[in-house]
Amino acid sequence: MLIRKKNEIASSEITAQSDYRNRRAFMQGAAAAGIATLAGTRLLDVAAPRTDVHAATKLATVPSKLSTPGITPTSFQDITTYNNFYEFGTDKSDPAKNAWRLQTRPWTVSVEGEVKKKKTFDIDTLLKLRPMEERIYRHRCVEAWSMVIPWDGYPLAEFIKECEPLSSAQYVQFLSYENLNQEPWIKDISLDWPYSEGLRMDEAMHPLTLLTFGLYGQALPNQDGAPVRVVVPWKYGFKSAKSIVKVRFVKKQPRTTWNESAPNEYGFYSNVNPNVDHPRWSQKYERVIGAPFWKARQATLMFNGYGDQVASLYAGMDLRKNF
Ligand SMILES: Nc1nc2c(c(=O)[nH]1)N[C@H]1C(S)=C(S)[C@@H](COP(=O)(O)O)O[C@H]1N2
Ligand SMILES: [Mo]
């Protein structure tokens, strides 16, 4: 995606980070050498990045009937090191390096707008609201790469019911966390923060749309949008806002980050569509992350392969105009 970088990240930030990393490496070394005291262990807990695979919280999830059959998940390694999360830098490798800064507790999601009454959900309440399902979905970025991800969550519709929206609510907007101390990269990227995305109410209520708390049976690594994100498998990846703190029910189509930044390139709908090219590249094929070279390029499917389930949402709409 095309963005203007304002200037390089302040060198003080880089220093602070490398100090931290060095301290962490030292503490891990100490632990490995078996010299960690109780105090040392506590320090190590604090210093260990929350993205550490071994420190991840396991989620009790059951396989879902709505998983996409016949596709093999991308490796955990690729899913967690090749990311788009501009709050933590613009390179695909940046979020894995930088998202340890994100503090995911305490965390609340507030609900406002066209609802019976405003509510605020604590993340640990949200986690337990409904049984957790594992949904294996295709994941297609607008930049013409793809993965397969086993997400853990429950239908967004279940959460929406809990929010008690009024009949005047036509759209739902998702706002991501914005914090300059934890996400100093924000300063250097010309987007209108916080990251904002939105869905039409019927899209949000669709059974495939997942409120997502984990992947591969464990709490989301920070770089994948901890502690809670949305996943909309028939749309380009940018429609799925990460690290959500606010859900707003609204009457009119809400502002969305990429549409606002380049309206001719990124539409509000952004349904995966091999027949509508991005102005600067084709959407006919996708690069499959982590695949051997003979499977590394594949044809992109209409609605990312979910047309049987979702095409009716767009009956009568011109998908070239409403890209
Ligand atoms: N808050 C926020 N959400 C975001 C983004 C972002 O930069 N910030 N990037 C989007 C894009 S472009 C994609 S492709 C997906 C990537 O999700 P993944 O890194 O878990 O694969 O997250 C989306 N959600
Ligand atoms: Mo994306």
Side-chain angles (χ1 to χ4, degrees):
M1 301 175 91
L2 186 68
I3 48 108
R4 287 163 290 143
K5 281 199 195 183
K6 284 180 194 156
N7 48 299
E8 289 309 307
I9 289 164
S11 59
S12 60
E13 292 297 347
I14 294 162
T15 312
Q17 184 190 342
S18 57
D19 282 348
Y20 172 97
R21 294 178 77 86
N22 288 340
R23 185 165 62 94
R24 197 187 130 226
F26 167 74
M27 291 309 299
Q28 285 183 333
I35 54 170
T37 60
L38 180 60
T41 308
R42 283 222 192 98
L43 256 176
L44 188 67
D45 281 343
V46 173
R50 285 155 192 262
T51 52
D52 187 332
V53 182
H54 306 291
T57 312
K58 295 272 181 288
L59 301 174
T61 85
V62 293
S64 168
K65 289 192 194 80
L66 291 177
S67 270
T68 311
I71 50 174
T72 308
T74 304
S75 70
F76 183 88
Q77 176 72 17
D78 282 332
I79 293 171
T80 57
T81 56
Y82 191 92
N83 299 96
N84 272 334
F85 199 171
Y86 277 21
E87 285 87 331
F88 297 101
T90 54
D91 288 348
K92 301 285 177 269
S93 58
D94 283 342
K97 276 184 241 153
N98 299 331
W100 56 266
R101 280 173 176 267
L102 178 67
Q103 280 165 35
T104 58
R105 291 294 187 286
W107 190 280
T108 56
V109 177
S110 60
V111 177
E112 55 178 51
E114 306 295 306
V115 285
K116 210 164 137 191
K117 70 181 211 312
K118 288 185 186 181
K119 287 184 186 176
T120 298
F121 294 87
D122 184 79
I123 186 64
D124 294 306
T125 309
L126 269 189
L127 270 161
K128 284 176 274 178
L129 203 63
R130 294 290 184 276
M132 204 72 76
E133 303 172 22
E134 183 146 280
R135 294 268 183 95
I136 301 172
Y137 279 163
R138 296 190 189 89
H139 181 63
R140 172 60 155 80
C141 178
V142 72
E143 297 164 311
W145 53 264
S146 73
M147 294 185 186
V148 172
I149 304 185
W151 299 112
D152 302 295
Y154 50 76
L156 179 65
E158 301 285 337
F159 170 69
I160 290 179
K161 280 177 211 154
E162 209 71 24
C163 298
E164 302 180 283
L166 304 173
S167 57
S168 51
Q170 299 294 307
Y171 293 86
V172 51
Q173 179 182 26
F174 305 94
L175 294 156
S176 296
Y177 188 55
E178 179 188 10
N179 180 306
L180 284 169
N181 292 321
Q182 295 171 33
E183 302 162 328
W185 294 270
I186 284 178
K187 295 197 284 286
D188 305 302
I189 298 170
S190 287
L191 288 172
D192 193 7
W193 304 102
Y195 193 92
S196 166
E197 257 310 333
L199 297 169
R200 219 170 55 189
M201 205 59 177
D202 58 345
E203 299 176 317
M205 291 297 291
H206 193 281
L208 285 181
T209 305
L210 201 68
L211 191 63
T212 304
F213 301 88
L215 59 84
Y216 268 113
Q218 62 181 57
L220 283 170
N222 287 0
Q223 59 267 43
D224 289 279
V228 59
R229 66 176 294 172
V230 165
V231 170
V232 195
W234 69 94
K235 291 179 180 283
Y236 293 120
F238 71 88
K239 293 299 293 179
S240 305
K242 294 179 167 181
S243 306
I244 294 168
V245 291
K246 193 172 287 189
V247 178
R248 213 180 256 157
F249 292 88
V250 292
K251 294 177 181 169
K252 297 212 171 89
Q253 192 176 297
R255 68 159 272 261
T256 57
T257 297
W258 284 106
N259 178 243
E260 184 172 64
S261 147
N264 59 321
E265 301 191 12
Y266 311 106
F268 175 79
Y269 284 94
S270 285
N271 294 317
V272 175
N273 189 340
N275 308 316
V276 177
D277 288 339
H278 183 278
R280 291 182 282 124
W281 60 81
S282 164
Q283 295 290 23
K284 284 199 165 41
Y285 292 89
E286 59 202 47
R287 194 160 51 84
V288 185
I289 304 303
F293 73 88
W294 63 93
K295 287 185 188 164
R297 191 174 117 103
Q298 71 186 17
T300 288
L301 302 170
M302 186 66 202
F303 294 115
N304 205 25
Y306 300 97
D308 286 353
Q309 291 117 296
V310 302
S312 62
L313 295 173
Y314 310 101
M317 272 176 74
D318 181 349
L319 295 179
R320 267 178 198 284
K321 247 175 94 190
N322 298 287
F323 59 93

